[in-house]
Amino acid sequence: LLFVGDSLTRYHYLSLAYFIEYGNWPKRFGASLKTPCKFRDEHGEIACSLPGKPNVCMEGDWNIFGGWPAFMQNLGGGTDGGIF
């Protein structure tokens, strides 16, 4: 499987890898640290990442964990060889 595209293509790949790993798509919106999430999906469920659980497609969610380096390190594969 080859992904070719611009700099946003990484998020297509990360969304697909997340779906394969967890059986559901990443949340549509990032975590809101200041206010509760106001967004709901088509099933009425909260559509924001939970605080403390950063979204794989939202780099800003990783700022409290160290920013871009933490984003890249945590998504680079674990001891089991997986992506997450």
Side-chain angles (χ1 to χ4, degrees):
L1 181 60
L2 175 66
F3 283 80
V4 177
D6 61 12
S7 62
L8 298 178
T9 304
R10 80 182 82 161
Y11 301 112
H12 299 151
Y13 168 74
L14 289 171
S15 293
L16 178 60
Y18 186 93
F19 180 80
I20 292 169
E21 181 83 14
Y22 295 107
N24 57 359
W25 296 103
K27 298 287 186 182
R28 182 176 173 97
F29 300 97
S32 176
L33 301 176
K34 297 179 182 175
T35 60
C37 181
K38 300 176 191 174
F39 303 105
R40 304 284 176 178
D41 65 13
E42 63 274 10
H43 305 292
E45 297 178 18
I46 294 173
C48 299
S49 299
L50 299 173
K53 186 173 182 189
N55 189 320
V56 298
C57 295
M58 300 286 175
E59 293 171 26
D61 279 7
W62 293 86
N63 286 340
I64 60 172
F65 298 99
W68 184 253
F71 176 75
M72 296 303 290
Q73 184 177 17
N74 283 282
L75 299 179
T79 57
D80 64 351
I83 186 87
F84 298 109

